[in-house]
Each structure stands twice: as structure tokens, then as C-alpha cells.
Amino acid sequence: MSDANPVLAPWQQRVHDHAAVALDAGKLGHAQLFCGPVHMGKHAVALQLARRLMCTQPVAGGAPCGKCRGCELMVAGTHPDFMDISFIPTRDGSKLRTEIVIEQIRALSEQLTLTPQFGGAQVAIIDPADMINHAASNALLKTLEEPVPGRHLWLVSARPEKLSATIRSRCQRLEFRLPPRDEARAWLQAQGHPQKAADEALDAARGHPGLADAWLHDGGIALRREVAADLAKLARGDLGAVEAAQRWTAGDDTAMRLRHAADLALAEAASLTAPARMRKLAAWFDAANRTRELLQTTVRADLAVAELLLAWRG
């Protein structure tokens, strides 16, 4: 954490302002579900609302002052009344767990029963909440069913449907939606991306500015161009399916390549009028997504991808 009042994107600011009004009026429920696509800034908004609660000397409009002890601790990431819960290391410390476990939720529940050290609110953010495992989910439900005044439990999720219906029913929802195209383009340009690059990335990300920005920064758009070139070569017979599959699976970007390939197939299908070709592309789109899911199993990735690319060539 580096700034008490970071600049939020316009769509993030709208959600923040709506929630801040309810928060200041005492009408924001103790449990919130921040939901919407990945890379939309859900965690950033939750964090800024937490800073608002932790500030002891808010400025005009209730914004955090950035100078009080509460603000300083939030910026340092050491506020005793704030918990930011995500994946923790495995027992041997070699990597991060892939789910949020019951020990974390039990520790959270115990913390929320204590008197806040600063005498104000307590806030806990769980992100990604949809990766809470079954046992932890049951423990979390008990905490949600026994709200304590001044205790705030905020769940962040790009896939809220994976949460149990009971947990969802205990939360108010704060929805993050894709902004208008002009606003998304203007924001991307404000991040330093030329308009042509911004438009290409927005088209690739289906209007999602956060995803477009991420792809422009991490090489995702360049990878998409490479995938498109490979698919064209495969269709012409200038590239072998096995050769392409070996290259696609040689690094750690196989899943992203398959995502781009599926999107490119869908985009081509949308531009066609021939029903037979449209059906073939739709079937291949489904197959690409199934292959991406197979990567999570013990299947040999190169063989699965080779089979998929043979179907594209056919």
C-alpha cells in the first residue's frame, strides 16, 4: 500500500462513491460482495473504503486524511483492525495454496470477536472469495450469520456463482460493470497507451479496459497476434499441428494461448454468414475451452493441444 487516496478509474470511482454514501449513512450492510470481471479494480475499491473507515480525521466528504495514525498504518499494511485475506503459503513454504482454508477463516472469526484496538471499525477483505474451500465456507457462514456492529466482512469475487447460495444471500452486492467504450479508451490512453494500441486491446478484451491494460503491459496482445498468425498458417498448411502444439505448450502461457485462440475463433464466427462454417467454429471454440480445462489435469498438454490444432487445420 503506497497512497491513502489512490486515483481510481471512473468505473471504480462510481462504485466507491455509491458505497461510501451508504457507509457514511450507516446503511452499508456488514457483509458485502464485490463482484464483476477480473481486472476491474474490485479489491482497490474495497481497500479504499477500508481506508475511509480506518481514518480518524477524515477530510471533506469523508475521504481519508492520509496523515493520522490509522491512515499511516493502512498505507504501511500493518493496521491491527484490518485483515486482507488471500492465499497463504503451503506448509513447506514452497508455493502458495490454491484455496483459502478453514484455519484462515477461524483466525478471522476470532479476530472479529475482539475489541478493535483503535476503538473504531474492523474490516476484513477476502479475495478471491470464490476460492474458499468447503470447510472454510461453512466456517465463514457462521461468522456471516452472527454480525457484530462495526465489523465489516467484504468478499471479492470474479465468479460469485461459485460461492454457496447461502453465503451470497447474506451479502449485499456491489457490482462492477464494463464502462462505455469511449470511457475505456480514454482511460487506457491516460495510462500511456496510444489510441491504436488501446483500440486493438479493447477489441481483443471485448471492451474490458482492465484486461486490455494488463495485456498491453504483459505482452498478452503480442501473444494474441502470434496465436492468430499460427492459426492462419495452420489453415494454409504452412505449419504443422504437432510443431505448433509443442511450441504452444513449451512455456507457462499455454492457457492464455488457448484463450486467445478460442476468442479468435469466436470473432471469426461472428463475422460470417455461412451457417456450416459458423457451426464448425463454434464447435472448435468449445473444444479450445475444454482443452484449456484439461490443462488442470494430468493429461499431456502437447498431445491435447495437437489434437485441437489438427481439428482447426481440418
Side-chain angles (χ1 to χ4, degrees):
M1 302 181 196
S2 58
D3 190 346
N5 286 296
V7 176
L8 298 176
W11 62 89
Q12 297 166 359
Q13 193 69 51
R14 283 192 289 273
V15 178
H16 172 276
D17 292 349
H18 173 77
V21 169
L23 189 63
D24 294 347
K27 295 181 179 178
L28 196 73
H30 80 289
Q32 297 291 317
L33 177 55
F34 293 71
C35 52
V38 296
H39 292 295
M40 286 295 286
K42 300 181 292 296
H43 194 279
V45 171
L47 190 55
Q48 186 59 12
L49 289 168
R51 289 168 172 147
R52 189 182 188 92
L53 279 168
M54 296 303 170
C55 179
T56 58
Q57 300 173 22
V59 297
C65 69
K67 299 177 181 178
C68 70
R69 184 61 175 157
C71 284
E72 288 177 349
L73 290 171
M74 284 297 291
V75 170
T78 56
H79 200 297
D81 297 324
F82 173 70
M83 292 148 280
D84 204 349
I85 298 166
S86 190
F87 302 125
I88 58 175
T90 54
R91 294 189 188 281
D92 63 6
S94 61
K95 58 183 178 179
L96 290 179
R97 293 179 182 267
T98 56
E99 57 185 12
I100 293 170
V101 295
I102 190 169
E103 292 83 2
Q104 294 173 270
I105 302 304
R106 283 175 175 164
L108 162 66
S109 300
E110 290 174 8
Q111 181 70 23
L112 292 177
T113 65
L114 303 177
T115 301
Q117 292 192 37
F118 272 58
Q122 282 186 317
V123 179
I125 299 174
I126 303 177
D127 180 14
D130 48 81
M131 294 307 291
I132 297 173
N133 68 22
H134 182 69
S137 180
N138 289 336
L140 178 65
L141 187 57
K142 293 180 182 178
T143 301
L144 289 170
E145 290 174 338
E146 300 171 359
V148 178
R151 311 300 195 268
H152 301 270
L153 185 53
W154 296 342
L155 312 184
V156 178
S157 175
R159 297 179 293 176
E161 70 281 356
K162 291 192 67 179
L163 288 162
S164 75
T166 312
I167 285 179
R168 294 198 305 270
S169 70
R170 298 291 190 273
C171 301
Q172 292 179 348
R173 291 173 72 102
L174 287 171
E175 298 272 0
F176 288 69
R177 295 184 173 87
L178 297 183
R181 173 86 178 201
D182 288 347
E183 182 177 275
R185 180 194 293 116
W187 179 80
L188 283 170
Q189 289 182 263
Q191 308 313 302
H193 303 301
Q195 181 175 333
K196 184 177 180 181
D199 282 330
E200 180 188 3
L202 274 177
D203 288 341
R206 302 181 196 174
H208 187 327
L211 192 56
D213 181 56
W215 285 350
L216 285 166
H217 278 299
D218 67 12
I221 291 299
L223 185 68
R224 186 183 181 89
R225 294 192 198 112
E226 183 182 321
V227 168
D230 282 349
L231 291 178
K233 291 177 183 176
L234 283 161
R236 295 193 305 266
D238 295 338
L239 177 66
V242 173
E243 177 190 348
Q246 288 174 344
R247 180 153 47 79
W248 282 27
T249 56
D252 56 4
D253 56 7
T254 308
M256 183 55 68
R257 287 177 183 272
L258 291 176
R259 173 179 178 154
H260 285 314
D263 282 351
L264 288 163
L266 194 63
E268 182 180 337
S271 67
L272 297 177
T273 55
R277 177 63 175 164
M278 290 173 65
R279 284 195 295 271
K280 286 182 179 179
L281 285 169
W284 197 87
F285 169 83
D286 290 338
N289 285 323
R290 285 195 302 272
T291 303
R292 186 151 56 110
E293 292 173 0
L294 279 175
L295 297 180
Q296 307 301 318
T297 70
T298 57
V299 70
R300 267 190 60 177
D302 58 334
L303 295 181
V305 173
E307 182 178 355
L308 176 73
L309 296 183
L310 279 169
W312 176 267
R313 184 170 179 175

